[in-house]
Every structure is written in structure tokens, then in C-alpha cells.
Amino acid sequence: MDNLSPLLQAMKVFFEIGQTLSYDFRRKQLLTLKKALQHFEEEIYTALYTDLKKSKEECWVTENGFVMVELNNALRNLEKWMQPETVSTNLLNFPSFSKIINEPLGVVLIIAPWNYPLQLLFTPLIGAIAAGNCVVLKPSEFAPATSAVMKKIIQQCFSDEYILFVEGDGATVVPAMLQQFTFHHIFYTGSTAVGKIIYQLAAEKLVPVTLELGGKSPCIVESDANINIAAKRIAITKFSNCGQMCVAPDYVLVHESKKEELITALIKHIRNFFGEDASQCENYGKMINANHFDRVINYLKEGTIVYGGDFINQQLYIQPTIITNVSLNNNIMKDEIFGPILPIISFSTFEEAKHIIAQNSNPLAFYIFTSSNKKEKAYLQIPSGGVCVNNASWHLTNHALPFGGRGFSGTGQYHGKFSFDTFSHKKAVLKTPTWFDPGVKYPPFKGKLKLFKMLIK
Ligand code: NAD
């Protein structure tokens, strides 16, 4: 890998001379990115088809259209977000004035995975630009066609000292960069295993991190759920992008009284969405590479296949598959599946369901299908990054909601204003006038305890 140190130092200087501070500068960069996304639209579609066999429609919902929504939202609100926030001042500090200033962090590093390669690199980038930072972008090496288009976009739009695009093997490039340079923040999206490595590397220099990780997101289908709607919504989310979605329902816990009905409905909807032969369907994706293909194929042996189970090595195709009779001790119930295999497990009581979910605590997402407010309330007490009630994954498309995990599924959040906040330091400012300076604040303090207790409580 090239020595990036001079470039990274140049970025630091560019940041320190205050180039990125003004509203006009930030707005101009967001507009430039927007124009480039429009200009390169067809190339983006071709690249995402090459890497992941995504249709244009799927791309718009989950990749370039998703980013466009974030861009438009940032452009509409940037001025408001940048304003200092006036807050109240307590009696102790009378007659001071208090405000919170949003200060850019500096030079930040954004690392993205391959499953939504454009969305997951450019969505945090919007927050970082809006907040006035310089940015190093590290895409995944496993979606090379999309990486090449993104590189073209970034290099055409921005100077290297402002936004630097760094490709390469993550295990080599990232530690080398972190050794050469002290970033002001690292925003990482990817697996929990690599997240731990990033966290450790960052800790050496006390670099703050946002970690957007993975895990097993459970899906509950209660006895009183609308089974047809539940099956439809679970199927579209689970098998979209060939199951390679961080918030895909990893497995379904269905009330034992509804198991057969749910499986029948899931099969009906899978056939409606992807046809009898999903390998011929233009709306059905492929596995990213042979390693992930082999990893997922191995799970097929760990239960009874009730639908699907076919695969074609050369096409990296795995059929949408429903599997039952899986053991909680098997790998399929320990690892994040990240592929188109959906285990269905039945439960009879809330406590039993809760116990199964607790085996992989703090999931990134949790989906609750029920028509009972009481049950919904009970399930909402289970800790998770985010929740959909009678839906799956769509919470992340509402930029008014924070998106992120907790514990093993991540730390921090973004989307919309939350991205701006993630890439800003909230600086506390207290301004005290000089015309009033009560002597009680100064020594001698003897005899003032009673007064202090009145003022400080
Ligand atoms: P990954 O962790 O293998 O790679 C992600 C990024 O880290 C890549 O850019 C890669 O180059 C880099 N990297 C890999 N090894 C590294 C190392 N040793 N040191 C430093 N950097 C390294 O993840 P992936 O396989 O690309 O993505 C799949 C995972 O990401 C799944 O677990 C999924 O749930 C998760 N994910 C989470 C979200 C979210 O928003 N929370 C979104 C998408 C994917």
C-alpha cells in the first residue's frame, strides 16, 4: 500500500485552515454530490448489477434513491442543523447565557461493507460533509464495480485533501492508515468480528467510533398476527438482495398455532415475488462471492428444508429457502445467516420466545407481528437497535428515526439529523456578563454552606 501519510496530513491542514466551515461550502459540496449521482445513474445501475445482480428498481429504493433522499433532506435542513442551540441556564449561573455549538470533528474515516456498497458509504458521507468534516472513504473490496464508479464520482467532484477515496484489502489498508494518522472519528459499517478489531485499533489513540454492526435480527409472529401480511412483509425483506441485508429477519419465531399457516403463506409470496424458478427472476439477487456462497450452503444441512434448497455454484445462486427443525445449538442459530435461508421456529409462550432471543442479545433489528397492543408493549421491552411492528426493515427508510445497533450490533446512530450529530462535536458554551459578580462565589466560604445548599440543589 502507498504511504498515505502526506495526503492525510494535507487533509488535516485543509481542515485546519477552515475551508469546510461555512454553510455555503457545505451546501455546494452536497449539491455537487447530488449532480454526480444523477450524472452517473446508469453507471451505478450497471455496477450494482455486476456486483450483486440488483435491478434498477431495487437500486433506487436501497442505494442511489436512498442516498438521494438523505441528500435532499440534508440540503433542506443544513442551515437549521448548523445553528447553535440556545439552552436554559440554571440559577447558579445567573445571569449567564448558554448555547451548544456544532463543531466539525476534523478528518474522519468511513469504512463500508459490500452488501449495500453505495448506500453504506455515501449515506454517512452526507452527514460528514454536512457537519463540515474532511473525509477518507474506504469502500469494500468485494463490490469492485460499484467501488470503481464511486471512486470516479468522488475524484471528479472533490479534491484529495477534502475527500480521499482509498481502496484495497481492509485488513491491510485500515490498520496502516490508523497507524500513520490520528483520525478524529471512525464510522464503521460491517461485521461484528471486524468491528471489534476497529474498536481496538481506535482505542490505542482514543479515536471515537460509530460501529454499525450485524447480528441475528429476530422476527416474532404472534398467534393474533395477520399471517398473510406478516408472511408477505417478512418474505420481501428476507429475500431482498439474496438475504444479504444487515436488518433482514434472520429467523422467525412463530406461535405454534400458526406455524403451518405462516409457512404456506411464505411459500405463496416467495412464488409470487420470484416465480417458480428464482434463478431466472430479474428481481432476485446473487451471493456476493464463492466464500459467502459456500458459508451459506453449509446451513442447508442443519434442518429440514420445507421450501427451496436449490443452488447453482457458477451463478452464486441460492434459492429462497425455508428451513425447520433447526437446533438452537447449530451454527445456523448462532451465526448471522446473511443469505436467503429462513429458519422457522415455533414457540408457545412469551417467556420461551424471550429466552430464544436472549441467546443473541441486543439484535440490530427486531420485528413484532401482532394485533395486540399488550403483546407489542411486552415485546418492545426486549433490547434491540430498532423495531418494526407489523413490518420488517422499513424503519431505516424513515430518516426522522435514528438508525443503529446496541452492544454487539453496534454503537452510535445515523440517518438524517442523527448523521449530522454523529459527525459534530456538541460544544458547550457558557457566556457570563461582567456587570454582576456576587461575592458569595469567592472565598472566604466559611458560613456560606446554608446558602450554597439553597443555590445548588
Ligand atoms: P466486513 O466486516 O468483512 O468488512 C467491512 C469493511 O471492513 C470493508 O471495507 C473491509 O475492507 C473492512 N475490513 C475487513 N477486514 C478488516 C480488518 N481486519 N481491519 C480493518 N478493516 C477491515 O463486513 P462485510 O462482510 O463487508 O459486511 C457484512 C457484515 O456487515 C454483516 O455482519 C452485516 O450485518 C453487517 N452490516 C451492518 C450494517 C449496519 O448498518 N449495521 C449494514 C450492512 C452490513
Side-chain angles (χ1 to χ4, degrees), residues 112-115 120 138 141 170 188 190-191 212-214 246 336 403:
W114 48 262
N115 59 333
L120 297 172
K138 163 65 186 81
E141 58 274 38
Y188 167 82
S191 66
E212 298 284 339
L213 310 177
C246 59
E336 178 182 6
F403 180 71

Side-chain angles (χ1 to χ4, degrees), residues 109-117 119-121 138-142 166-176 178 187-195 197-198 201 211-217 244-248 288-289 292 295 336 338 364 396 403-405 409-410 414-415:
L109 171 63
I110 298 176
I111 307 170
W114 48 262
N115 59 333
Y116 291 91
Q119 182 210 130
L120 297 172
L121 195 69
K138 163 65 186 81
S140 168
E141 58 274 38
F142 296 121
V166 177
E167 288 180 300
D169 166 42
T172 313
V173 168
V174 174
L178 296 186
F187 186 104
Y188 167 82
T189 306
S191 66
T192 300
V194 174
I197 297 173
I198 303 281
L201 290 171
L211 300 173
E212 298 284 339
L213 310 177
K216 290 182 90 61
S217 296
Q244 300 164 114
M245 189 197 283
C246 59
V247 287
I288 185 74
N289 55 33
H292 280 282
R295 181 183 62 76
E336 178 182 6
F338 222 56
L364 179 59
L396 75 86
F403 180 71
S409 60
Y414 73 131
H415 288 181

